[in-house]
């Protein structure tokens, strides 16, 4: 269970969420559309905006000049950095992230982040400038049809061509982004609408949309059907996903697991929703997850998926996935139910509401023998993989670094990872204790995510240690955001694990492509000098004897800090489910050559 201080932090965050509920705004004076927009954002309790100015959104930035006391704007170095920072802000706080960008390339630079936010259910409100309405469709300078471009990667979007329509668009955008299964939205505002002067406007937060039902009513008949399966189960098993975090259901999940005795494993995005030191926690699911939770998925008799998508990285070959089990799926998004894995029954509801109802009606139970199976396989994984990964022999390994980081921070830091081997290693070896302390790009797998997302998370939760864990490849994709960190003095810690390779691709090339390392080896710059050019304290470690002191110096710094750790060039991540294999075919070590 989270300790008292953690519960106090969670209560403080819930209070913050309540305080940030939108309010009405009534303005009775001549006002430009640009200022209308800013008044709406203030009414929505927005405090931080990540953005980059340009010609088509210049009226908004001109109006923003007078709102410095109400809206904190962070000038990023690239629009992709803006949306990833907004994602980090949203994932850490539970509040929507807000982004400004101009038309054309400014707007299209948001597309990667929008796709990332959509698949990972992150609430982000993007506001883009657009050319004058009379120029639409003429291929005017920096004109792009951003609405049609972003339809596939937004939960909802709209173009506004008149100032009077801005308040309703903003209200609807925030409502859609933050309710039900959260996601990104985009408002594209033409320049004439930003310049247009209107006499007055009323801002009323959106409370509902006739064609949109974000939160389904809990059906107790569905709860009873699930309970009937759980009651008779001998080997029940919970797979917990990010939906547990999004519905603030972590405590409810702990209560349900403790009452029923059911073991819990977490997906990549679900990490942190269940304490890693809880006796019922059995590990991390997925292609590079822990051995026991993967193998025993194919031995359980009742499988309960909560707020997760049965993603291919969790299921492996679906034809070999949990064929023996009766499956219960709890999800707020009905489109996810029966999409990949056919279920026995489901609860279409908010995860917290479903868990509370299940706990109230469940009978106390223990599954000691079943839990001991997880423990036995975990011991096997420790002996074959973990002991070597964190051991003091040979060259420095990624797992050793993350294991030490986890111990030094007691699993309490917000850890923001990029994509690749270091991401999987962090997911395995950093022991998250609290909700919203693990932030990564899951479904999209976006390299370059970590650095901007970490600065966004730090601005959202300034009182908490935030560590960006990045590979040398992903770091260089958004390295320019060191300038944002420098300009605003954001005390984020940056830990680059450098193996001079695109490590995850190299691992696959080694194991499945005859060690043909086709364009994955990297010649990198002097990262320490690069960080120094941005006035960020920096150090480099290549020997084990210097690691502890370097990590301590990084964590103790009151300012931003960059630490490069040189790790083994052919340091691989195991266990591993090979492509096309079933999850019980997971490898604990490199297969022997035939």
């Amino acid at each position: 269970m989270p300790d008292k201080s953690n519960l106090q932090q969670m209560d403080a965050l819930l209070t913050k969420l309540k305080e940030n509920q939108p309010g009405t705004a009534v303005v009775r004076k001549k006002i430009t559309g640009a200022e209308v927009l800013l008044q709406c954002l203030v009414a929505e309790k927005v405090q931080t905006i990540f953005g980059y100015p340009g010609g088509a959104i210049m009226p908004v930035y001109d109006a923003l000049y007078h709102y410095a006391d109400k809206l904190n704007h962070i000038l990023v170095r690239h629009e992709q950095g803006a949306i990833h920072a907004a994602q980090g802000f949203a994932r850490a706080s539970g509040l929507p992230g807000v982004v400004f960008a101009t038309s054309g390339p400014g707007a299209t630079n948001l597309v990667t982040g929008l796709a990332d936010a959509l698949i990972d259910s992150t609430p982000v409100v993007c506001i883009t400038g657009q050319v004058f309405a009379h120029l639409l469709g003429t291929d005017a300078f920096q004109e792009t049809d951003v609405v049609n471009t972003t339809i596939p990667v937004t939960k909802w979007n709209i173009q506004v061509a008149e100032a009077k329509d801005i308040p309703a668009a903003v209200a609807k955008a925030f409502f859609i982004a933050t309710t039900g299964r959260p996601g990104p939205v985009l408002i594209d505002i033409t320049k004439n609408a930003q310049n247009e002067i209107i006499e007055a406007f009323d801002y009323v937060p959106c409370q509902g949309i006739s064609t949109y039902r974000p939160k389904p009513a809990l059906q107790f008949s569905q709860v009873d059907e699930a309970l009937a399966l759980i009651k008779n189960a001998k080997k029940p098993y919970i797979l917990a996903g990010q939906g547990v975090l999004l519905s603030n259901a972590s405590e409810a999940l702990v209560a349900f697991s403790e009452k029923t005795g059911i073991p819990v494993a977490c997906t990549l995005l679900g990490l942190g929703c269940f304490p890693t030191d809880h006796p019922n926690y059995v590990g991390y699911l997925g292609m590079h997850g822990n051995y026991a939770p993967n193998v025993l998925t194919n031995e359980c008799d009742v499988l309960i998926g909560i707020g997760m998508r049965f993603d291919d990285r969790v299921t492996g070959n679906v034809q070999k996935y949990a064929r023996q089990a009766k499956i219960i799926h709890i999800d707020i998004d009905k489109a996810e139910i029966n999409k990949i894995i056919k279920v026995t029954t489901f609860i279409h509801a908010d995860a917290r509401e479903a868990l509370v109802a299940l706990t109230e009606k469940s009978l106390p139970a223990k599954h000691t023998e079943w839990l001991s199976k997880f423990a036995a396989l975990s011991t096997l994984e420790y002996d074959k993989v973990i002991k070597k990964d964190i051991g003091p022999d040979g060259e420095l390994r990624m797992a050793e670094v993350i294991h030490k980081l986890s111990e030094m921070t007691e699993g309490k830091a917000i850890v923001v990872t990029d994509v690749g081997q270091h991401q999987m290693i962090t997911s395995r070896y950093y022991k998250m204790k609290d909700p919203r302390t693990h932030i990564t790009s899951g479904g999209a797998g976006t390299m370059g995510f970590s650095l901007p997302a970490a600065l966004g998370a730090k601005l959202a939760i300034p009182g908490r240690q935030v560590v960006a864990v990045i590979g040398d490849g992903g770091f260089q994709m958004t390295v320019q955001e060191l300038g944002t960190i420098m300009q605003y003095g954001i005390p984020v810690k940056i830990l680059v694990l450098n193996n001079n390779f695109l490590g995850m691709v190299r691992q696959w090339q080694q194991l499945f492509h005859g060690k043909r390392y086709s364009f994955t080896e990297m010649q990198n710059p002097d990262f320490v000098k690069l960080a120094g050019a941005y006035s960020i304290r920096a150090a480099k470690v290549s020997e084990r004897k210097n690691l502890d002191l370097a990590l301590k110096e990084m964590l103790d710094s009151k300012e931003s800090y960059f630490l490069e750790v040189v790790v083994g060039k052919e340091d691989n991540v195991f266990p591993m489910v090979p492509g096309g294999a079933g999850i019980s075919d997971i490898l604990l070590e490199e297969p022997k050559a035939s």
Side-chain angles (χ1 to χ4, degrees):
M1 289 289 287
D3 61 31
K4 186 176 180 181
S5 64
N6 294 330
L7 291 173
Q8 289 172 341
Q9 288 178 346
M10 291 167 69
D11 288 341
L13 182 56
L14 289 172
T15 300
K16 183 178 179 182
L17 289 168
K18 291 174 182 176
E19 289 174 351
N20 277 271
Q21 295 302 305
T24 59
V26 180
V27 176
R28 293 285 177 262
K29 66 174 184 176
K30 290 184 178 181
I31 185 173
T32 66
E35 193 169 354
V36 168
L37 171 66
L38 301 183
Q39 290 279 0
C40 294
L41 296 180
V42 170
E44 285 286 348
K45 306 296 184 184
V46 171
Q47 294 179 351
T48 302
I49 299 165
F50 303 93
Y52 203 94
I57 200 169
M58 202 174 295
V60 170
Y61 274 86
D62 186 56
L64 189 59
Y65 185 84
H66 303 287
Y67 277 72
D69 60 332
K70 296 178 181 178
L71 295 168
N72 179 32
H73 180 276
I74 303 298
L75 175 64
V76 296
R77 297 305 185 262
H78 190 283
E79 290 88 356
Q80 184 178 348
I83 190 163
H84 290 332
Q87 288 176 270
F89 183 96
R91 294 269 289 275
S93 68
L95 303 170
V98 180
V99 176
F100 283 175
T102 194
S103 63
T108 58
N109 281 343
L110 300 177
V111 170
T112 294
L114 288 169
D116 194 289
L118 183 67
I119 199 166
D120 284 355
S121 306
T122 306
V124 177
V125 177
C126 293
I127 296 162
T128 54
Q130 184 55 275
V131 300
F132 288 93
H134 73 273
L135 293 176
L136 291 171
T138 68
D139 293 331
F141 177 66
Q142 291 194 331
E143 180 198 358
T144 298
D145 185 351
V146 67
V147 170
N148 280 309
T149 298
T150 60
I151 282 174
V153 292
T154 52
K155 189 177 176 184
W156 178 78
N157 69 12
I158 191 173
Q159 186 173 83
V160 176
E162 295 184 64
K164 67 179 179 61
D165 296 326
I166 291 173
V170 172
K172 193 172 180 181
F174 275 87
F175 180 72
I176 292 172
T178 58
T179 55
R181 179 179 177 176
V185 299
L186 183 142
I187 307 172
D188 192 45
I189 308 177
T190 60
K191 196 167 184 178
N192 59 284
Q194 298 170 50
N195 287 327
E196 183 183 353
I197 295 175
I198 59 176
E199 292 289 339
F201 82 97
D202 296 340
Y203 184 77
V204 180
C206 183
Q207 301 295 332
I209 301 169
S210 60
T211 56
Y212 173 54
R213 296 286 184 270
K215 190 174 182 180
L218 180 66
Q219 302 296 315
F220 285 96
S221 60
Q222 295 176 358
V223 174
D224 290 340
E225 286 181 21
L227 282 168
L229 296 179
I230 294 167
K231 179 181 177 182
N232 295 315
K234 303 300 182 188
K235 297 179 179 180
Y237 183 21
I238 294 169
L239 311 185
Q242 189 185 201
V244 176
L245 294 167
L246 296 175
S247 61
N248 296 310
S250 294
E251 289 186 60
L253 176 59
V254 170
F256 177 61
S257 174
E258 288 181 344
K259 186 173 183 180
T260 59
I262 301 177
V264 177
C266 290
T267 67
L268 176 66
L269 292 184
L271 288 169
C273 78
F274 197 87
T276 54
D277 56 357
H278 194 285
N280 287 357
Y281 180 72
V282 294
Y284 155 53
L285 288 162
M287 178 177 280
H288 290 286
N290 294 118
Y291 189 63
N294 277 295
V295 169
L296 293 180
T297 297
N298 282 356
E299 289 190 28
C300 68
D301 57 1
V302 172
L303 188 66
I304 309 166
I306 307 175
M308 47 88 72
R309 302 185 290 114
F310 289 104
D311 172 76
D312 61 287
R313 287 301 195 258
V314 165
T315 66
N317 186 333
V318 295
Q319 301 305 316
K320 300 179 180 181
Y321 184 77
R323 307 295 290 178
Q324 80 294 337
K326 293 181 172 63
I327 298 176
I328 302 166
H329 193 178
I330 301 171
D331 207 287
I332 200 167
D333 184 357
K334 197 167 187 181
E336 295 296 344
I337 298 171
N338 287 315
K339 185 176 84 173
I340 295 171
I341 298 297
K342 300 303 177 186
V343 304
T344 309
T345 190
F346 63 86
I347 302 176
H348 178 215
D350 172 82
R352 186 179 181 280
E353 291 183 0
L355 283 166
V356 168
L358 286 168
T359 304
E360 287 176 353
K361 293 189 173 187
S362 291
L363 296 174
K366 292 185 177 181
H367 295 283
T368 307
E369 186 177 344
W370 175 226
L371 276 165
S372 69
K373 281 200 166 191
F374 286 92
L377 291 182
S378 294
T379 299
L380 176 64
E381 180 183 352
Y382 181 84
D383 290 339
K384 283 188 169 287
V385 180
I386 297 173
K387 186 163 59 175
K388 179 183 70 175
D389 272 359
I390 64 175
D393 300 322
E395 45 192 4
L396 267 173
R397 300 175 68 88
M398 292 179 283
E400 182 181 358
V401 179
I402 299 304
H403 176 68
K404 286 183 179 294
L405 177 70
S406 182
E407 287 187 330
M408 287 184 175
T409 59
E410 299 180 337
K412 300 294 185 183
I414 295 175
V415 176
V416 187
T417 62
D418 214 80
V419 172
Q421 287 181 314
H422 70 278
Q423 176 192 36
M424 297 296 99
I425 287 291
T426 304
S427 302
R428 288 175 50 76
Y429 290 97
Y430 194 88
K431 303 304 180 185
M432 295 91 182
K433 301 295 194 302
D434 300 323
R436 295 191 180 277
T437 55
H438 175 250
I439 300 172
T440 195
S441 171
T446 303
M447 291 179 69
F449 173 86
S450 177
L451 186 62
L455 73 87
K458 185 64 178 177
L459 288 170
I461 313 292
R464 198 143 195 176
Q465 183 84 266
V466 176
V467 182
V469 180
I470 322 177
D472 49 306
F475 175 62
Q476 293 178 85
M477 286 195 170
T478 50
V479 65
Q480 67 275 3
E481 297 310 326
L482 291 177
T484 309
I485 292 169
M486 173 184 67
Q487 181 167 345
Y488 296 97
I490 303 169
V492 68
K493 311 301 168 58
I494 305 156
L495 175 60
V496 169
L497 301 180
N498 183 6
N499 57 11
N500 291 104
F501 263 112
L502 298 176
M504 187 59 81
V505 182
R506 184 213 53 76
Q507 178 168 334
W508 279 69
Q509 289 174 335
Q510 176 186 338
L511 299 179
F512 308 114
H513 295 275
K515 294 190 176 181
R516 293 183 293 278
Y517 297 152
S518 181
F519 301 101
T520 48
E521 189 165 8
M522 302 192 77
Q523 182 175 340
N524 291 319
D526 185 325
F527 289 136
V528 171
K529 286 183 178 179
L530 184 61
Y534 286 96
S535 301
I536 294 172
R537 290 181 63 198
K540 179 177 180 177
V541 170
S542 55
E543 295 184 39
R544 180 172 287 108
K545 64 182 181 181
N546 299 322
L547 179 61
D548 285 15
L549 183 60
L551 284 171
K552 185 177 186 304
E553 187 171 339
M554 177 188 78
L555 294 170
D556 288 347
S557 175
K558 302 300 183 185
E559 303 170 343
S560 56
Y561 195 102
F562 176 93
L563 177 61
E564 174 188 0
V565 181
V566 179
V567 295
K569 292 190 71 171
E570 294 187 295
D571 187 1
N572 287 332
V573 187
F574 286 99
M576 176 183 184
V577 180
I583 54 172
S584 55
D585 300 321
I586 189 169
L587 302 174
L588 279 170
E589 55 193 357
E590 184 177 342
K592 300 292 188 291
S594 56

